[in-house]
């Protein structure tokens, strides 16, 4: 059997690795110059490790990626960095029940109510009934308006923008149920792990074609014809791991009912600014949730408060990130204007930040990075099988109720492998 895979993100890499290991002939096509997809990294002169274009870590219970990374000899390293919240002009530690109780900005009864709800979500395995209710309604009814509006509403709006009220409570359950305070990272970053998988695929006889965007996939008798910049090749099975809009663009001959069904899935793009600085700015905080909705970025992550700056030439790395609809006006701004928004926000967050400490800046856009998970998403979620025989779809829109992430990309890649061979 000959298998073609489109996209060398963690879904494509995992699936190709398993197939190559099983002795199946596999060819992986990637549009970019490197593998790793949304989790890929870049490097600057003098750096020992690449850095993700988008902030990344794993949780200590991300079993699929931990198992795979150990198997290929690239295990994660775990840390216990600090998570805080920016509220009414100040940062407060906010990653345990103790911190919630000590949080001075809410009355005790609101904190107790919130603590009980979060504790219930953490322990309860029953997410299915929650998918029928918007997270907005569920949280107001259970936590009360005060706690919800102070903490969770700004974070939902920051993450889902105009669709914050559509997101279902099962998605919120998954966020709370799954999070761990211990976070993992890889030697040489996620790019290090992607490179290791890449190498393992090639060593097992698989083919990887970088700089090779796929432009069309169509049925050709009993086969599928895949056209890329390298020409047209025939495969027995093809699996597409790109975002759904790209899948719809490249696959020819899909029935219109299926197209319009997939066309109803929505997602947001990520906008991330990276400031590379001479000095640290966030007083040891790794992850800062920003609840002030006047500020453009919902999260600020000082990567080097988890990973030693020595890997980045002694520089300190700060990410500012938000999620926006693809037609948002920020995507029309120049790079300098977006960086200016980030600088203004960092000044509002901390007095430690001095603009003259900036060594370099980067702006990254992740298209289709955050699927929107509305009420009753199980009815909307696409299947891996498509109406075209032997053509499969495996992207983040299939991941549910969990939030998208590299662990689920690995899980999906392994599921795709099993489905292809079944
Ligand atoms: C801001 C941000 C923060 C994140 N933080 C975390 C985190 O902390 N932890 C975590 O685990 N996950 C995180 N994620 C999510 C994680 O990066 C993704 O869920 C995961 O990498 C998705 O992998 P994938 O293989 O499904 O897709 P992708 O990584 O998107 O891979 C798809 C690949 O297809 C390629 N491609 C596109 N078009 C074509 C074409 N025509 N031909 C060939 N190839 C094509 C792309 O270049 C890409 O390499 C974050 C994502 C973002 C955007």
């Amino acid at each position: 059997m000959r298998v073609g895979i489109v996209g060398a993100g963690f879904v494509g890499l995992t699936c190709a690795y398993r197939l190559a290991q099983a002795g199946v002939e596999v060819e992986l096509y990637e549009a970019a110059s490197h593998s790793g997809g949304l989790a890929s990294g870049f490097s600057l002169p003098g750096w020992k490790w690449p850095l993700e274009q988008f902030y990344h870590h794993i949780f200590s219970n991300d079993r699929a990626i931990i198992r795979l990374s150990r198997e290929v000899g690239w295990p994660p390293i775990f840390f216990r960095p600090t998570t805080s919240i920016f509220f009414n002009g100040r940062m407060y530690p906010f990653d345990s029940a103790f911190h919630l109780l000590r949080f001075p900005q809410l009355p005790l009864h609101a904190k107790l109510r919130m603590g009980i709800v979060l504790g219930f979500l953490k322990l309860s395995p029953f997410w299915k009934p929650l998918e029928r209710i918007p997270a907005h309604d569920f949280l107001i009814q259970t936590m009360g308006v005060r706690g919800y509006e102070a903490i969770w509403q700004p974070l939902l709006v920051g993450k889902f923008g105009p669709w914050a009220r559509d997101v279902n409570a099962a998605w919120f359950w998954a966020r709370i149920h799954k999070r761990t305070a211990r976070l993992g990272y890889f030697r040489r970053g996620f790019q290090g792990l992607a490179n290791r998988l890449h190498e393992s695929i090639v060593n097992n006889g698989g083919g990887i074609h970088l700089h090779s965007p796929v432009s069309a996939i169509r049925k050709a008798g009993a086969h599928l014809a895949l056209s890329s910049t390298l020409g047209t090749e025939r495969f027995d099975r093809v699996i597409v791991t790109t975002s759904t809009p790209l899948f719809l663009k490249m696959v020819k001959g899909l029935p219109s009912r299926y197209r319009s069904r997939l066309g109803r899935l929505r997602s947001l793009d990520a906008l991330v600014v990276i400031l590379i600085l001479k000095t640290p700015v966030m007083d040891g905080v790794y992850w800062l949730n920003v609840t002030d909705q006047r500020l453009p970025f919902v999260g600020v992550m000082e990567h080097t408060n988890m990973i030693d700056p020595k890997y980045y030439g002694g520089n300190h790395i700060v990410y500012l990130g938000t999620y926006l609809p693809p037609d948002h006006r920020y995507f029309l701004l120049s790079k300098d204007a977006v960086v200016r928004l980030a600088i203004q926000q960092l000044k509002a967050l901390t007095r430690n930040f001095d603009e003259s400490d900036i060594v370099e800046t980067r702006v990254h856009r992740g298209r289709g990075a955050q699927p929107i998970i509305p009420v009753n998403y199980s009815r909307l979620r696409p299947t891996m099988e498509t109406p075209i025989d032997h053509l499969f779809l495996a992207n983040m829109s299939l991941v549910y109720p969990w939030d998208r992430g590299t662990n689920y990309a690995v899980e999906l890649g392994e599921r795709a492998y099993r489905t292809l061979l079944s």
Side-chain angles (χ1 to χ4, degrees), residues 61-200:
N61 55 10
D62 276 344
R63 286 190 199 90
I65 194 166
I66 292 172
R67 198 181 47 235
L68 179 70
S69 64
R70 287 189 176 142
E71 181 183 321
V72 297
W74 210 261
I77 320 157
F78 285 96
F79 304 88
R80 174 65 168 89
T82 312
T83 294
S84 292
I85 189 164
F86 184 77
F87 191 93
N88 275 350
R90 274 194 57 191
M91 290 189 207
Y92 298 92
F94 207 80
D95 60 1
S96 67
F98 173 70
H99 289 144
L100 173 60
L101 276 177
R102 286 197 55 188
F103 185 60
Q105 301 275 356
L106 282 175
L108 185 64
H109 67 85
K111 290 192 281 194
L112 289 175
R113 236 177 125 172
M114 188 184 293
I116 291 168
V117 177
L118 295 177
F120 167 77
L121 295 174
K122 187 91 202 148
L123 296 175
S124 165
F126 305 111
W127 63 269
K128 202 77 209 289
L130 294 173
E131 80 155 355
R132 292 187 223 125
I133 326 162
H136 172 85
D137 296 352
F138 171 78
L139 293 173
I140 288 183
Q141 279 160 23
T142 54
M143 284 182 185
V145 178
R146 184 112 186 235
Y148 171 66
E149 284 186 348
I151 312 279
W152 303 105
Q153 187 185 33
L155 298 180
L156 273 176
V157 169
K159 185 101 174 167
F160 293 105
W163 293 299
R165 287 198 179 200
D166 297 353
V167 172
N168 77 40
W171 178 87
F172 189 82
W173 167 87
R175 294 281 291 191
I176 302 298
H177 193 71
K178 184 69 186 14
R179 290 200 154 223
T180 59
R182 277 175 75 230
L183 302 180
Y185 194 70
F186 298 98
R187 189 157 48 89
R188 300 187 58 76
F190 283 70
Q191 189 64 59
L193 177 59
N195 291 349
R196 187 56 170 240
L197 283 167
H198 186 137
E199 228 173 76
S200 310

Side-chain angles (χ1 to χ4, degrees), residues 188-384:
R188 300 187 58 76
F190 283 70
Q191 189 64 59
L193 177 59
N195 291 349
R196 187 56 170 240
L197 283 167
H198 186 137
E199 228 173 76
S200 310
I201 294 164
V202 174
N203 290 342
N204 280 291
I208 303 191
H209 311 283
L210 300 176
H211 294 292
S212 306
V214 171
S215 51
I217 298 167
R218 48 173 60 88
K219 214 159 166 38
H223 294 98
L224 289 160
L226 182 153
S227 304
S228 74
T229 41
L230 300 175
T232 298
E233 290 277 326
R234 281 166 181 253
F235 291 98
D236 301 302
R237 307 267 188 282
V238 170
I239 172 153
V240 180
T241 73
T242 67
S243 67
T244 305
L246 290 177
F247 166 79
L248 291 175
K249 214 164 138 189
M250 76 180 71
V251 179
K252 313 298 170 197
L254 286 167
S256 55
R257 262 188 72 192
Y258 178 76
R259 281 188 165 276
S260 66
R261 211 189 132 169
L262 288 199
R264 293 214 301 273
L265 301 174
R266 284 168 300 177
S267 59
L268 294 167
D269 290 0
L271 177 66
V272 168
V273 176
I274 306 178
L275 300 178
I276 298 158
L277 305 168
K278 286 188 217 149
T279 49
V281 288
M282 296 230 292
D283 290 323
V285 172
Y286 163 65
W287 186 283
L288 183 70
N289 288 313
V290 178
T291 60
D292 185 338
Q293 293 182 55
R294 292 165 303 178
L295 297 173
F297 298 95
V298 68
V300 181
M301 283 58 64
E302 188 160 346
H303 178 75
T304 37
N305 282 339
M306 180 165 80
I307 307 301
D308 198 317
K310 72 179 180 194
Y311 299 116
Y312 312 100
N315 292 146
H316 297 262
I317 314 283
V318 177
Y319 291 94
L320 294 99
T322 191
Y323 298 88
L324 302 166
D327 58 357
H328 194 279
R329 64 188 173 85
Y330 286 173
F331 292 119
L332 301 174
L333 297 177
S334 65
K335 179 195 166 198
D336 285 353
V338 175
V339 169
R340 186 107 310 267
L341 289 174
I343 289 174
Q344 278 158 358
Q345 173 154 343
L346 210 47
K347 282 183 176 164
L349 298 180
T350 168
R351 291 214 192 105
N352 301 342
F353 172 57
D354 179 347
E355 211 177 317
S356 65
D357 276 348
I358 297 177
V359 176
E360 186 154 338
T361 59
R362 311 262 306 205
V363 174
H364 295 285
R365 177 177 186 172
R367 289 181 191 270
Q370 179 63 54
I372 292 160
I373 309 296
V375 167
N376 291 324
Y377 186 71
S378 350
R379 292 188 206 151
L380 213 61
R381 172 165 62 151
T383 56
M384 198 171 272

Side-chain angles (χ1 to χ4, degrees), residues 1-7 11 15 19 217 224 226 235-243 247-248 250-251 254 258 262 382-395 398 412-413 415-422:
M1 180 164 60
R2 193 159 189 251
V3 179
I5 300 181
V6 185
V11 175
C15 186
L19 287 167
I217 298 167
L224 289 160
L226 182 153
F235 291 98
D236 301 302
R237 307 267 188 282
V238 170
I239 172 153
V240 180
T241 73
T242 67
S243 67
F247 166 79
L248 291 175
M250 76 180 71
V251 179
L254 286 167
Y258 178 76
L262 288 199
T383 56
M384 198 171 272
E385 288 79 10
T386 72
I388 297 184
D389 281 346
H390 309 315
L391 173 71
F392 300 89
L393 171 68
N395 67 19
L398 275 76
L412 197 61
R415 180 147 72 89
Y417 153 74
R418 291 192 299 272
T419 307
L420 282 182
L421 291 193
S422 64

Side-chain angles (χ1 to χ4, degrees), residues 6-11 29-31 36-39 54-57 212-214 241-242 246 250 270 272 323 369 396 404-407 409:
V6 185
F10 273 87
V11 175
Y29 293 81
E30 168 56 51
L38 284 172
F54 305 101
Y55 42 91
H56 269 73
H57 56 244
S212 306
V214 171
T241 73
T242 67
L246 290 177
M250 76 180 71
V272 168
Y323 298 88
M396 289 299 103
R404 90 289 181 264
T406 51
N407 181 59

